[in-house]
Structures are given as C-alpha cells and as structure tokens.
C-alpha cells in the first residue's frame, strides 16, 4: 500500500529491460544511471507512455498495469504528473493558462499553495517567451502538481539549465519535497543533484536495477563509487542537529550514539534531520589522540579498508575507510607516505580529525 512497485520485462532496441523494484511512497527517489541505461523508459512505463510486454505497476495500492489480469489504465487516468527536461509549455497560453491546463476541479487553496511554493505569483500574466529557463521549469512543475497527481515523475528537469539556473531552481525542489506529501521519482545522472535531493536511489544499468535503497546506504557501494571522481570522494551521513554554540558560531551534529561533529553554525531548529557530506580530503588520521590542536572534531575510529586511488601506483594518495560506529563509515584521503609511516592496517584503532570549518552549509542538506 505504502510503496510503488515497478516490475516489468520489455525489449526496447538492443536493451532487454528486466526491472523489479519497490520505491517508497514518499520523498524523492532518484533513478540514476548512465546515458542509455533505461532511466526514462522506467518512468515512461509508470506514466503509461511505454507498454511493457509483461509485468505489474502499482502506485499506492492502485494497479496501473498488470499483464496477467490485463489491466492497463490509460495515461490520462493514471494520476501521474510528468516534468520533462524542457518545460513543454504552451507558447500561446499565459503562465496562468499553462498552470490551469488540465485542471478539471478548480481548488483555489491548492492553487495558492503551489503558487507560493514555487514563487509563481509575479509570473502569472507572462507568456513562456518572457520567462527564463528556470522560471519555465518552475511553471512546468506547478502545472504537473496542480492536477493533484499520486506521483510526480521528473525526467532530468534541470538538464537544460546552466549551473546558475540549476542553483536557482534546486532550492524550490528541496522545499517542494519537504512541503508536499507526494512521492517524486527524479531521473538524473548528476551526483550533485543526487546529494542535494534524493532520499532513496535506484541505480539502473542496461535495463536492470543494480542497486536500490536509501542514498546513504548505496553511496559507498560499487554501484555509485565508480561515478565519483577523486574530488568527490566523500562520506554521506544522516545526522540530527543536537545543539548550537552561539558564542563560537558552531553547531553540533549527531552522526551516531557518541559520535558528534562540530560544523559551522546552521540556521535550522534543534533535532532537524540533515544529510551531511564530508570530503575525504578534509579528514586526516592520527595514531594518538591529539591534545593541543585547533581541530575541533577528533573521532575515535577503526581502520576497516585501505584502497589506492589508482591500483599499483604507490606514489598516489590513498583512501582509508574508518569505522566510527556500527554502519557509520568515514573516508580519509592521505598520502601513501603517511600510510606507510603510520603503518596503517585493517583493524588499527586511530583518531579521525575533521576541521570544524571544512564542513560548510554547502555540504549539508536539510531533510526534515
Ligand atoms: N521506443 C524505443 N525504441 C527502441 N529503443 C528504445 C526506445 N526507447 C528506448 N530505447 C532504448 O532503450 C535504451 C534506454 O533508453 P532510455 O532513454 O530509457 O535511457 P536513459 O537512461 O533515459 O538515457 P538518457 O540519460 O540518455 O536519457 C536505449 O538503448 C534506447 O535506445
């Protein structure tokens, strides 16, 4: 009942799709994978734009497609909102006309809520040709939401925007995910968008699901690690805001029982749930507990893995995986020289050090 089940088999061109995945019925699920992996085809099956040869699609207890019982709800009756890469607004309709297109039962309260969420009031009387790319996408999202869908499908909605415009639209998407009780399935191949937006991730390759789960759990698996360049090598944590130190403008985040991290002060309420990204390059390792140091975060941990950035090249930096608590791992990037001098090996107890100033608000995303 409280999930979205997508199970189907279909041959499209050279790709043999064989998908069987269950997606949570809330928050943002990112469908992630390289170009041609099958991301768009997956959401098109949910929307009814692709009809699979075999399978079952169920959204919140409603069967949209079942090959066995011959159910195939037509697209316009599926209660599915769809936002494409390009906004696909009607050029001869004003923003208001575009927003209300497809609305069968007017609901002023809902209309005003969506206008506020996406900040569309001042655009209502403009025409698409008078809007920026980011504004067009906000209107397209509003139009999809005004039809009161049971699920919102978004196919790389930021792909056609350049970085400044992406940054302009992203906060709206973050805000939307917190404010509307609606599952969003978000196709992307951007790690940046993934970290900012996704609660859950489904990684697709050649028409098959290679990983599915909460982002923090999948982040460290081979399904995603192959996407990370060395500058993006990092650890992801779910954390809650435990306290503020107003005097020193710092906030304390709880990563696990007895594992706290001081970061630059965050303007969010206590106990907020956050996602935090700690770059491996900002973590150093000490064998003894440093006593007189400027570094605020000194976390007892154990070495569980040492991997080379480039196997066989001993001169390069290495990545050390440290266990902070059960199922809480932190990556440190150090030189091969430091690894040898500290005689690091699996099972060794060490201290991880992270500067309080190295984790900034850019590395922290509010989840609730
Ligand atoms: N209607 C179709 N007919 C034939 N082949 C198709 C059709 N739709 C998709 N395919 C093939 O299925 C594969 C997956 O395509 P899809 O568009 O779903 O990938 P994608 O992951 O969304 O890619 P991109 O990120 O480039 O949009 C590709 O090899 C594509 O050529």
């Amino acid at each position: 009942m409280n999930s979205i089940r997508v199970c189907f088999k279909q041959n499209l061109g050279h790709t043999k799709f064989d998908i069987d995945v269950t997606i949570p019925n809330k928050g943002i699920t990112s469908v992630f994978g390289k170009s041609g992996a099958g991301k768009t085809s997956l959401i098109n099956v949910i929307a009814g734009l692709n009809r699979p040869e075999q399978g079952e699609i169920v959204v919140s207890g409603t069967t949209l497609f079942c090959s066995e019982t011959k159910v195939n709800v037509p697209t316009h009756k599926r209660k599915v909102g769809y936002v494409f890469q390009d906004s696909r607004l009607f050029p001869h309709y004003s923003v208001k006309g575009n927003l209300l297109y497809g609305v069968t039962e007017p609901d002023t309260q809902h209309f005003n809520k969506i206008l506020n969420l996406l900040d569309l009031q001042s655009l209502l009387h403009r025409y698409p040709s008078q809007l920026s790319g980011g504004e067009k996408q906000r209107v397209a999202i509003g139009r999809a939401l005004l039809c009161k869908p049971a699920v919102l499908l978004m196919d790389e909605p930021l792909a056609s925007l350049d970085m400044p415009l992406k940054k302009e639209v992203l906060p709206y998407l973050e805000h939307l995910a917190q404010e509307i009780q609606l599952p969003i399935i978000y196709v992307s191949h951007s790690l940046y968008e993934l970290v900012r937006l996704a609660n859950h991730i489904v990684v697709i390759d050649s028409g098959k699901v290679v990983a599915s789960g909460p982002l923090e759990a999948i982040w460290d698996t081979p399904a995603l690690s192959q996407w990370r360049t060395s500058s993006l090598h990092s650890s992801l944590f779910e954390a809650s805001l435990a306290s503020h130190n107003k005097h020193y403008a710092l906030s304390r985040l709880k990563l696990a029982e007895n594992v706290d991290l001081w970061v630059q002060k965050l303007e969010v309420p206590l106990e907020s749930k956050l996602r935090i990204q700690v770059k491996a390059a900002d973590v150093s390792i000490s064998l003894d507990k440093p006593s007189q140091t400027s570094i605020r975060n000194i976390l007892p941990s154990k070495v569980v893995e040492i991997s080379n950035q480039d196997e066989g090249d001993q001169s390069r930096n290495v990545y050390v995986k440290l266990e902070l608590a059960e199922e809480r791992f932190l990556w440190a990037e150090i030189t091969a020289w430091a690894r040898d001098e500290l005689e690091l090996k699996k099972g060794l107890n060490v201290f991880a050090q992270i500067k309080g100033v190295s984790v900034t608000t850019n590395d922290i995303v509010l989840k609730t």
Side-chain angles (χ1 to χ4, degrees):
M1 199 56 186
N2 286 324
S3 59
I4 297 171
R5 171 131 197 269
V6 184
C7 169
F8 71 94
K9 288 187 181 170
Q10 189 178 24
N11 291 339
L12 276 177
H14 297 299
T15 309
K16 289 187 187 336
F17 283 84
D18 189 351
I19 301 276
D20 189 352
V21 69
T22 300
I23 295 169
N25 202 14
K26 59 176 187 173
I28 300 188
T29 294
S30 176
V31 177
F32 192 81
K34 55 183 188 259
S35 187
K39 306 180 294 295
T40 302
S41 303
L42 189 150
I43 61 167
N44 283 350
V45 164
I46 301 173
L49 299 173
N50 272 359
R51 187 192 167 144
E53 285 136 28
Q54 198 187 324
E56 189 180 38
I57 312 294
V58 182
V59 175
S60 317
T62 304
T63 301
L64 301 182
F65 177 81
C66 179
S67 52
E68 217 164 89
T69 55
K70 303 214 177 328
V71 172
N72 186 21
V73 178
T75 298
H76 66 280
K77 291 197 174 154
R78 286 198 179 197
K79 295 187 111 198
V80 158
Y82 202 128
V83 179
F84 299 89
Q85 283 186 13
D86 50 335
S87 56
R88 302 195 187 183
L89 299 180
F90 301 114
H92 51 293
Y93 282 174
S94 66
V95 166
K96 189 171 180 186
N98 269 284
L99 286 172
L100 291 174
Y101 186 88
V103 174
T104 46
E105 292 166 28
D107 178 342
T108 311
Q109 207 182 342
H110 186 56
F111 184 73
N112 289 336
K113 182 180 173 186
I114 300 299
L115 283 195
N116 282 333
L117 268 175
L118 293 162
D119 211 359
L120 296 173
Q121 295 90 336
S122 60
L123 307 179
L124 282 181
H125 301 292
R126 291 206 212 156
Y127 282 82
S129 61
Q130 299 166 310
L131 301 174
S132 72
E135 288 166 341
K136 281 184 193 161
Q137 278 309 62
R138 277 158 47 204
V139 176
I141 296 166
R143 182 174 61 180
L145 291 174
L146 280 164
C147 293
K148 296 191 179 167
V151 56
L152 180 63
L153 308 174
M154 302 180 107
D155 190 358
E156 307 211 35
L158 306 183
S160 62
L161 308 180
D162 54 25
M163 203 34 144
L165 280 183
K166 275 194 209 319
K167 285 191 166 167
E168 182 192 300
V169 181
L170 260 168
Y172 287 101
L173 293 177
E174 285 173 329
H175 194 50
L176 201 68
Q178 288 156 24
E179 292 293 321
I180 56 166
Q181 303 298 316
L182 181 70
I184 300 176
I185 304 182
Y186 188 100
V187 168
S188 176
H189 59 246
S190 153
L191 276 189
Y192 175 69
E193 287 171 27
L194 202 63
V195 172
R196 290 282 298 261
L197 297 173
N199 305 99
H200 194 92
I201 177 173
V202 175
V203 187
I204 305 270
D205 194 17
S206 307
K208 318 272 183 308
V209 174
V210 292
S212 169
L215 180 60
E216 284 82 1
I218 305 295
W219 186 253
D220 233 4
T221 65
L224 274 191
S225 52
Q226 57 172 314
W227 286 78
R228 296 193 308 236
T229 59
S230 60
S231 64
L232 277 171
H233 209 298
S234 60
S235 317
L236 274 197
F237 297 101
E238 253 180 67
S240 63
L241 204 147
S243 64
H244 293 296
N245 183 325
K246 288 194 180 124
H247 184 66
Y248 291 115
L250 291 169
S251 296
R252 182 168 61 92
L253 306 184
K254 193 164 207 49
L255 304 191
E257 204 50 42
N258 301 322
V259 184
D260 291 339
L261 190 72
W262 285 102
V263 298
Q264 291 182 46
K265 185 158 185 297
L266 301 169
E267 300 303 332
V268 294
L270 292 178
E271 296 186 13
S272 297
K273 295 275 172 276
L274 304 151
R275 166 173 297 146
I276 165 165
Q277 185 173 29
V278 181
K279 294 181 198 73
D282 289 332
V283 182
S284 61
I285 295 174
S286 167
L287 293 184
D288 304 310
K289 186 171 185 181
S291 55
Q292 295 189 318
T293 171
S294 63
I295 293 179
R296 296 300 85 192
N297 296 304
I298 297 168
L299 308 175
S301 50
K302 187 197 280 186
V303 176
V304 289
E305 189 180 323
I306 303 176
S307 65
N308 268 55
Q309 183 176 325
D310 190 355
E311 293 298 340
D313 184 350
Q314 296 299 308
S315 62
R316 297 275 181 111
N317 287 352
V318 292
Y319 294 103
V320 183
K321 188 176 185 180
L322 302 166
E323 187 178 38
L324 300 174
E326 203 184 335
E327 294 301 315
R328 288 284 187 276
F329 300 103
L330 176 71
W331 283 98
E333 183 183 3
I334 60 169
T335 59
W337 181 15
R339 174 201 58 195
D340 294 344
E341 201 164 289
L342 299 180
E343 295 183 29
L344 291 185
K345 53 180 185 298
K346 273 191 197 176
L348 191 69
N349 288 320
V350 296
F351 293 89
Q353 308 179 105
I354 310 164
K355 278 187 176 184
V357 290
S358 66
V359 182
T360 67
T361 47
N362 284 335
D363 304 307
I364 297 173
V365 181
L366 181 64
K367 286 285 140 197
T368 51

